[in-house]
Amino acid sequence: MKAYAVEPPAESYLDIVGSDEKFPVRRIYCIGKNYLAHIIEMNADERDPPVVFMKPRDALVRNGGEIPYPVFTKNLHYECELVVALKSGGYNIPEFEASKHIFGYAVGLDMTRRDHQAGALANGLPWEVTKAFDHSAPVGPVTSIEEIGIVNSGHMSLKVNGETRQSADISMLIWKIDEIIAKLSEQYELRPGDIIMTGTPAGVGAVTQGDVLDCSVDGLRPMQVRIGDRAA
Ligand code: MN
């Protein structure tokens, strides 16, 4: 048993639907600009390649629940996304083999400090401030590919206080899941435990203390997130 000099970080994992086993999370990759209507609402160029960024794994909020309104923002946005969980990986995975590496799927939220995004972009600064903050990655339980099969379509919806704000179909992804896995593996060695947030459709918006977000994708376990009091 190794003795650490300070308290080691908590484990990061997701629940698995219908199993007592847990899905350990190694990295949280995120794809930006992957639904046309969202690119248009963000005034971005739809011909740009999708953006790749990461969130720290301790930003994960397993199964949602209450998250504090984050510090350092006055414009907290939700982005409902399909999350893909990998059971294996490697470099340079060909598209036709990509689905062999998928363990399963979950519903997730890419919470965003929207007020810092434009400044980061305009000044060529990293995206951590806008995307990689504490509690910024609520993710529901993983449904295995054995249960649901390969997911390339299915309705996604996000409601705020019962009112639908995002409604789209997974089939509208610009970069499909197999292409995302292939592209990511050109840049990084993908590993078991990696999860990928695949991008959000149109309808993003701000939330505030007390708001309740209901996120769902057909066939997956839905997730509810409540925005609590301001952190710290
Ligand atoms: Mn996103």
Side-chain angles (χ1 to χ4, degrees):
M1 187 61 178
K2 196 182 276 98
Y4 290 103
V6 299
E7 189 184 345
E11 291 173 82
S12 195
Y13 63 90
L14 296 170
D15 289 334
I16 299 170
V17 175
S19 171
D20 292 332
E21 292 183 331
K22 304 298 178 188
F23 183 86
V25 174
R26 187 187 80 121
R27 289 185 182 173
I28 306 173
Y29 290 102
C30 303
I31 306 300
K33 301 203 286 188
N34 208 16
Y35 287 86
L36 182 59
H38 174 60
I39 293 173
I40 292 168
E41 77 179 350
M42 297 299 290
N43 296 314
D45 188 336
E46 73 271 17
R47 290 161 301 187
D48 285 348
V51 178
V52 175
F53 59 95
M54 284 193 240
K55 291 173 184 274
R57 66 178 163 195
D58 68 348
L60 200 68
V61 181
R62 187 172 52 257
N63 302 331
E66 182 164 304
I67 62 169
Y69 192 96
V71 298
F72 204 59
T73 185
K74 292 186 169 72
N75 193 14
L76 175 67
H77 273 213
Y78 55 81
E79 295 189 355
C80 186
E81 312 205 356
L82 174 69
V83 177
V84 179
L86 300 186
K87 65 182 174 192
S88 53
Y91 283 116
N92 296 314
I93 297 166
E95 253 173 62
F96 73 92
E97 287 185 349
S99 62
K100 292 182 189 168
H101 298 282
I102 298 174
F103 176 84
Y105 307 89
V107 174
L109 279 170
D110 167 16
M111 299 305 291
T112 300
R113 287 169 170 155
R114 193 71 76 199
D115 40 356
H116 292 288
Q117 192 169 28
L121 282 169
N123 296 301
L125 296 170
W127 271 33
E128 272 80 358
V129 67
T130 181
K131 293 292 195 179
F133 53 93
D134 299 339
H135 313 288
S136 61
V139 179
V142 180
T143 298
S144 72
I145 207 162
E146 283 81 19
E147 293 277 323
I148 195 173
I150 291 173
V151 172
N152 281 313
S153 64
H155 185 250
M156 174 196 285
S157 90
L158 178 130
K159 294 178 181 173
V160 179
N161 303 327
E163 195 174 298
T164 300
R165 299 286 182 82
Q166 293 190 286
S167 177
D169 197 281
I170 303 301
S171 61
M172 295 159 73
L173 281 168
I174 297 171
W175 292 80
K176 308 300 181 195
I177 292 164
D178 290 352
E179 293 174 310
I180 292 170
I181 292 170
K183 280 280 172 203
L184 271 177
S185 72
E186 292 174 2
Q187 298 182 21
Y188 304 97
E189 183 185 15
L190 299 179
R191 300 279 300 163
D194 289 346
I195 64 173
I196 306 165
M197 291 192 164
T198 55
T200 199
V204 300
V207 283
T208 189
Q209 286 98 323
D211 284 344
V212 175
L213 287 70
D214 284 294
C215 326
S216 67
V217 172
D218 280 351
L220 303 181
R221 193 64 65 85
M223 177 177 69
Q224 186 172 82
V225 167
R226 184 177 182 277
I227 310 298
D229 291 338
R230 192 172 277 270

